[in-house]
């Protein structure tokens, strides 16, 4: 069995996690999604992946970060990610409830690859997932690493 690259989803809202997983499934992406509920968990998971503490940790194909998380917000996690040489090539998508220009500018300055406003309907979220996959294809100029 071939290991599929994972998607790391850092999201503290259970409804948003469910919608995102449903949209990924409906979009035909079979990559496993590892969910963490706060910024500290995201960093701890990524540290484990960098250090290869066990087979339960792997560097993700894509990182999706909610901005408003407890303990460590998305900006702090993004800043930490971009300081890690082993994670610099991993695309990071910021997911936010707000279309806020200062947040978009800050995320871009910190190295986010994309800033997407979270829709609250599954169909709109599927469009978002399709945009993320299209972004991945363009960024890597080759076949998608997403499992279908």
């Amino acid at each position: 069995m071939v290991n599929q690259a994972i998607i790391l989803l850092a999201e503290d809202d259970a409804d948003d996690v469910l919608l995102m997983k449903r949209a990924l499934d409906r979009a035909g992406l079979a990559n496993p999604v590892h969910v963490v509920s706060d910024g500290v968990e995201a960093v701890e998971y990524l540290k484990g992946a960098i250090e290869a503490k066990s087979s339960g940790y792997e560097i993700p194909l894509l990182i999706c970060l909610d901005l408003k998380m407890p303990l460590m917000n998305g900006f702090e996690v993004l800043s930490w990610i971009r300081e890690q040489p082993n994670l610099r090539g991993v695309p990071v998508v910021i997911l936010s409830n707000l279309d806020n220009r200062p947040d978009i500018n800050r995320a871009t300055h910190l190295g986010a690859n994309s800033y997407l406003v979270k829709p609250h309907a599954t169909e709109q979220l599927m469009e978002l997932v399709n945009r993320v996959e299209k972004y991945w294809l363009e960024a890597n100029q080759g076949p998608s690493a997403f499992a279908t």
Side-chain angles (χ1 to χ4, degrees):
M1 179 176 176
V2 176
N3 280 346
Q4 296 176 357
I6 69 146
I7 297 168
L8 179 64
L9 174 60
E11 173 62 66
D12 64 321
D13 185 298
D15 291 335
D16 285 347
V17 169
L18 181 63
L19 280 174
M20 188 68 162
K21 284 183 167 184
R22 185 177 297 152
L24 289 166
D25 186 50
R26 286 189 181 175
L29 302 178
N31 297 75
V33 178
H34 183 85
V35 179
V36 294
S37 61
D38 64 56
V40 171
E41 283 185 55
V43 168
E44 289 303 316
Y45 175 87
L46 292 167
K47 282 181 182 177
I50 292 168
E51 297 168 7
K53 289 181 180 175
S54 75
S55 62
Y57 295 86
E58 66 177 279
I59 292 178
L61 161 76
L62 173 70
I63 301 169
C64 298
L65 292 176
D66 179 26
L67 278 185
K68 309 292 186 217
M69 291 185 291
L71 304 179
M72 220 178 152
N73 68 40
F75 292 125
E76 294 167 318
V77 176
L78 176 59
S79 181
W80 181 87
I81 289 169
R82 292 305 183 221
E83 292 172 356
Q84 309 309 308
N86 293 348
L87 299 176
R88 285 197 182 126
V90 178
V92 177
V93 174
I94 297 296
L95 302 172
S96 177
N97 289 322
L98 302 173
D99 187 3
N100 180 332
R101 179 55 54 193
D103 284 352
I104 294 167
N105 291 342
R106 184 174 178 197
T108 301
H109 176 74
L110 290 172
N113 298 90
S114 189
Y115 182 104
L116 301 173
V117 178
K118 292 189 270 187
H120 292 286
T122 304
E123 293 76 25
Q124 293 170 323
L125 195 53
M126 285 175 52
E127 290 174 25
L128 181 144
V129 169
N130 288 330
R131 286 195 312 251
V132 169
E133 183 177 22
K134 181 180 178 204
Y135 166 79
W136 174 260
L137 289 170
E138 290 171 359
N140 291 286
Q141 299 176 1
S144 177
F146 290 99
T148 55

